[in-house]
Amino acid sequence: MNIIVKIAKTELRNLFYSPIAWFLMIVFLIQNAITYMGFVEHSVRTQEIGGDALRYLSNITGNIFYSEKGVFAGVMQNLYLYIPLLTMGLISREINGGTIKLLYSSPVKVWQIVFGKYLAMMVFSLVLVAIVGIFMLSSAFQVESVDMVRFLSAALALYLLLCAYSAIGLFMSALTTYPIVAALSTFIMIGILSYVGNVWQEYDFVRDLTYFLSLAGRTNHMLAGLITTKDLLYFIIIVGIFLMFTILKLNGERESRSFSVKFTRYALVVVSALLIGYISSRPLMTGYLDVTVNKSNTLSPNAQKIIKKMSDAGLEITAYNNLLGDYNFVGLPKQRNNYLAFWERYTRFKPDISFHYVDYYDRPYDATYVSREDSARTLKQRAELMARNQEFDLTPYKTPEQIQKMIDLKPELNRYVMQLKYKDRTTFLRIFNDQRMFPGETEVCAALERLQMASIPKISFVTGNLERSIVKKGDREYQSFTSLKTFRYALVNQGFDVDTLLLKNGDIPANISTLVIADPRSDLSQEDLGKIRQYIDRGGNLLIAGEPGKQSISNPLLHSLGVQLMDGIIVQQSKDFSPDLALSYITPAAAKLSKPLARLAEDSLPISTPGVTGLSYDANSTFTCQPLLMTDADRSWLKKEKLVTDSADVSFSAAAGDQKRSYPTGLALSRNINGKEQRIIITADADFISNNEYTRSSIRTNNFPFNTALYSWLNYGAFPIDTSIPRTKDNRMKIGSATVKVCKVVFIWIVPALIGIFAAFLLIRRKRK
């Protein structure tokens, strides 16, 4: 060990008595300082602007250090430029100068030479990490509530990557007498290891090996604050491979061995490393440590509880991929490792998940566009053309006849879908038409919970009187929020069963968890009213959405509940919008319906309720009544006369019977009956759930979270699953613009200048000696 330390000290002297090491340190410092201070300056400016801009000022530490253009991203992208210049002469210098022969003739072992030189690079790597540490420490004094432990995880990621690059550079230096060639070879080898994860991903066995060897993305987990044993072992294995290669190379020059013997030694190193890496990366063999303050890399407590209940049996996940579908690329074999990476959060807690894959081609019912040429081709011809263009074999793909015998995927639009099977129950988990595409933790947990529930909450929408439709795409209809399978937040994707109910066909079934009556346009028959009242009397939960102008249709039903839609319509003056577009605001009672809504209620965003009237209610009824939505008394009023929206400006007229005050537009009723709490929602508007309001972009509203909260409350919080985690607290800066200017001068100019002066003094003093 003493010999290794002595060699390391000698190598460190060579490094620090070289201008290139000091030059690289200064450049490294300036690069990080510019990136760091740029983010700090932007955050301070945003904070000083204040107002609505403050809502973008969150997770400041993550934005500065871990974002796509943050400090660590810049370091990782440019690191390969620094290390080759430092390692290029480690051994090539000894070979070129002839001093390697002196080392060979001394009692020093080859492995001691290699480990000594590598130890020197490990120490220098610590210096580079310490430079980044300057900005980590600085942020603790400039940003509120910094997650310091996550810094340690990110620093470890940087250090391990530096060590891996150093080991590669050391080996390349042993291959040639020319330092420049060694540096270029290191560049190339780092590039190969970064790209190898994209090679031969179509083949199952090769895919696992090349993916394991890939350097790309190996630090992502640790930068995010998640330390895993497989990532740690990966860097140890990579370092071990190249150190062993270096030892074998130097020993090989001293020995007279055949090529086959030398090749076998190298092959044994690689095979042993791959075997260890493959075994250590299996879910059962992987350990995890989430060091973030809010455990952002770990499943939420509710998700963990759901998975823990599944410990008595395995979970099968079968991915069905339609080659002709819009999202066929998701299921291609070369995307398999990305797919498994998505499920890693869940295999961490349930390692016995088994994955299966079924590829097929069939008519895609979700295709956004089909060309004239494709329309003229058969399905087989289209599949063969796609296979030929993308250069893969169509043989493993099942034909339409084969897949239809196996499973009916037409209700899933013949698009990419995952079927989850637990014991004898199955459910589908979908991908969505948004930027995230894959289901989030909430959607996955909803699917897992459905597999275990004795009775899945079923929401039935009454039909027969021209009520709002859950299958139509029109502006006034309800498809988006209820049954649209490609929309992430639709009720069917949040765990609910959604269906329609025609009252004239029979009594209301007992297995319905919530009955919805949404804006009937014709009078309900006495028979239908009787069935609904029976449902209410036995304690069924209910949502009734009325509309102004149809009070005579809704009020007979609401009378037994002690609620009435008031005559007239709420008018709200606006220079941009129609006067019938009234904005209602969430009450404190509504904010308690769900945690997400409570957080969003802090922003005071309204609920858009186009065409709404007020609600009157009897405070002495058998129900406890709480207003959920209230209008703004200063900006709106109840207009008794008919509203003509395309006339001149509408103005308040007390003489015409207009009443100006705050009106409830949404109510929550509850009572204890038959051993449970009955819950009823009544709204004086039916458009707030409509397809049109989900696509409205002209006003920032809280319609979606409010609607989700309503159904969550009506179903006693069964769905959606609450997978929220505590928000980060680093949302404010401790410094102002004046301090930023000083810090920029210090970090970008003064500190690098001091290091340069010290380096010049040291090098001049060394030269004189």
Side-chain angles (χ1 to χ4, degrees), residues 22 83 102 133 220 284 291 312 408 455 477 520 611 690 704 767:
W22 290 102
I83 298 302
L102 295 176
N220 289 349
L284 276 171
V291 300
D312 58 340
D408 182 15
S455 177
E477 314 301 348
S690 67
F704 162 68
K767 187 175 182 181

Side-chain angles (χ1 to χ4, degrees), residues 503-507 524-534:
L503 292 176
K504 69 179 182 180
N505 287 345
D507 293 334
L524 296 169
S525 67
Q526 290 301 315
E527 182 183 0
D528 289 349
L529 286 173
K531 292 176 181 178
I532 296 171
R533 287 173 180 141
Q534 287 179 4

